[in-house]
Amino acid sequence: MRPELWIPGPTAVRAEVLSAMAEPMIGHRSAEMRGMIHALDPHLEALFGASPPSHRVAVHSCTATGLMEMALRAAGPRVLCLVNGAFSRRFATIAEALGKEVVRVESPAGAPPALDAAREELATSPFDAVTVCLSETSTGVAVSPHEVGRALADRGGAMLMVDAVTYLGAAPIDATANGLDFVLAGTQKALALPPGLGLYAVSETMLDGAVRSTDRGFFLDLLRITEAHAEAKPPMTPTISLHRALLVQLEAIAAGEVELRLTDEAEAVAGLNGWERRYRRHARMRDLTGEFLVARGLGPLGGGPASPSVTCVLVEGRDVPTLLERVRARGYELAPGYGDLRGSTIRIGHMGDHGVASLVRLLDALGAALDGD
Ligand SMILES: Cc1ncc(COP(=O)(O)O)c(C=O)c1O
């Protein structure tokens, strides 16, 4: 038996979704495929809180990293990057690899992005883009899209690019209301799908500005891919099985079917829609994990605002591989810390289609492993 997967992505995928992926191949220019692509849009608009006429949604057959590069290629040369961990640093690294002029606003590991310092930078000189990560998967620290949008509202025309990889599907984004220009994520995190499909929302303002970029490339050309999505004619062979899995999952979430299985009846009848119940369950799992840590005298790293999907636990003084092995022996897979934090932290991915009752069992197992049993 494989251990239950509780790493910060990929996360466990339900059997129904896996079997949807095993259905026979279809032609990617077929009416069935076009119908599938068009059927995604109302769900993606609800998921991103992004709606026409100000925003469009789209998917691309690449992972989230591809979308980071796609967004940067579509913008001008000066980029302000808010860096508070390994994944927000990736945005800066990609921008540098593309030859952009990058200014980093750094915060220590475990701290949220330095929005005030970024606002000051934006007031001193003009930028073409600002990058920020909502849920820093390496540290488990989050910032809300509302806070980001409000703090960076005056950005002198810079495109606000938001990494929502471990935020989307776990908490609301409201891209339109928060004035976010580009929001990106993959499929393998809180949406509980296999990796390999990138999802994004983009503002018409960013699409208009992208016309001036001469470095959009082909595979990662924001304009080509967004237009092709609108026409349901991807310019390359798309990940057909993943598109099918995404549609099956989005329909089941919106209809409340997934939550019905994972939450108790009192919550199911509370009058919330499927997405709202999903967000509530994620908040509950984050809170339960936090309470468990407090009860054990362990802190989440930095003690900053907690991600709705990832908790990074400081376990200094313990041998991380031994601890993870003990948890695995109880049937659960957790992740070590990321990068510099590998030896001092472990990470729990409480996201996707894991239920609250399963989380309680996992925390029991972690408690026993911490006790050395
Ligand atoms: C916050 C964040 N951004 C970006 C990425 C990169 O995503 P992918 O590996 O799907 O390209 C990850 C992956 O874990 C992530 O957690």
Side-chain angles (χ1 to χ4, degrees):
M1 272 282 276
R2 287 181 198 279
E4 251 181 54
L5 201 54
W6 288 79
I7 63 175
T11 189
V13 179
R14 308 185 279 129
E16 290 88 339
V17 173
L18 288 175
S19 57
M21 291 192 66
E23 282 190 27
M25 246 342 94
I26 55 171
H28 63 293
R29 303 276 176 240
S30 64
E32 185 180 348
M33 185 68 196
R34 283 201 303 279
M36 211 150 73
I37 294 174
H38 285 313
L40 292 172
D41 284 6
H43 296 295
L44 293 175
E45 285 173 12
L47 176 60
F48 282 101
S51 42
S54 65
H55 283 75
R56 293 202 218 172
V57 290
V59 302
H60 189 22
S61 294
C62 66
T63 72
T65 305
L67 298 185
M68 291 163 122
E69 181 164 337
M70 173 196 255
L72 288 164
R73 281 182 174 276
R78 270 181 58 80
V79 184
L80 181 67
C81 296
L82 282 82
V83 175
N84 63 323
F87 289 100
S88 41
R89 186 170 304 117
R90 178 174 298 194
F91 240 145
T93 308
I94 297 171
E96 281 156 0
L98 291 172
K100 307 271 183 192
E101 192 188 321
V102 177
V103 175
R104 298 177 184 219
V105 175
E106 306 244 6
S107 332
L115 294 172
D116 288 342
R119 202 172 35 222
E120 280 169 30
E121 280 290 345
L122 287 164
T124 8
S125 53
F127 284 89
D128 298 300
V130 190
T131 68
V132 60
C133 180
L134 294 182
S135 164
E136 184 35 91
T137 314
S138 64
T139 64
V141 168
V143 61
S144 80
H146 177 67
E147 244 180 291
V148 170
R150 198 185 45 191
L152 304 180
D154 291 333
R155 50 183 185 272
M159 291 298 104
L160 181 49
M161 301 176 180
V162 174
D163 175 339
V165 171
T166 45
Y167 203 92
L168 186 81
I173 304 274
D174 297 324
T176 296
N178 291 317
L180 313 178
D181 289 297
F182 190 86
V183 187
L184 69 101
T187 36
Q188 75 273 25
K189 310 284 187 177
L191 290 176
L193 293 161
L197 193 53
L199 318 177
Y200 64 94
V202 60
S203 70
E204 291 292 343
T205 314
M206 176 142 163
L207 292 171
D208 289 346
V211 175
R212 291 192 296 278
S213 165
T214 51
D215 189 32
R216 298 197 308 271
F218 184 95
F219 185 76
L220 295 176
D221 178 352
L222 175 69
L223 295 183
R224 183 187 306 273
I225 299 301
T226 309
E227 208 43 59
H229 176 84
E231 292 172 5
K233 284 184 184 162
M236 59 287 295
T237 318
T239 51
I240 296 168
S241 309
L242 269 170
H243 279 67
R244 189 180 276 123
L246 176 63
L247 183 58
V248 164
Q249 180 71 331
L250 293 178
E251 286 177 344
I253 294 171
E257 286 164 25
V258 180
E259 296 311 306
L260 212 52
R261 286 185 231 164
L262 296 175
T263 35
D264 64 29
E265 219 177 309
E267 286 198 46
V269 294
L272 302 177
N273 70 33
W275 287 109
E276 289 162 340
R277 277 188 251 150
R278 192 172 189 84
Y279 301 149
R280 249 167 82 126
R281 173 169 53 82
H282 277 82
R284 179 91 188 105
M285 294 202 290
R286 173 200 60 203
D287 292 349
L288 275 176
T289 307
E291 285 160 22
F292 166 85
L293 296 184
V294 170
R296 306 279 317 190
L298 292 168
L301 179 75
S307 156
S309 62
V310 184
T311 296
C312 184
V313 187
L314 257 182
V315 290
E316 264 165 337
R318 295 171 192 267
D319 184 59
V320 168
T322 306
L323 185 57
L324 295 180
E325 194 44 55
R326 285 194 198 129
V327 176
R328 199 173 299 116
R330 287 177 168 73
Y332 300 94
E333 174 116 11
L334 298 180
Y338 196 91
D340 293 348
L341 298 167
R342 198 172 176 86
S344 56
T345 62
I346 61 167
R347 290 175 304 148
I348 308 171
H350 33 75
M351 64 172 90
D353 290 348
H354 285 305
V356 170
S358 316
L359 176 70
V360 171
R361 288 193 291 273
L362 162 74
L363 294 176
D364 281 348
L366 176 56
L370 285 164
D371 290 338
D373 290 348

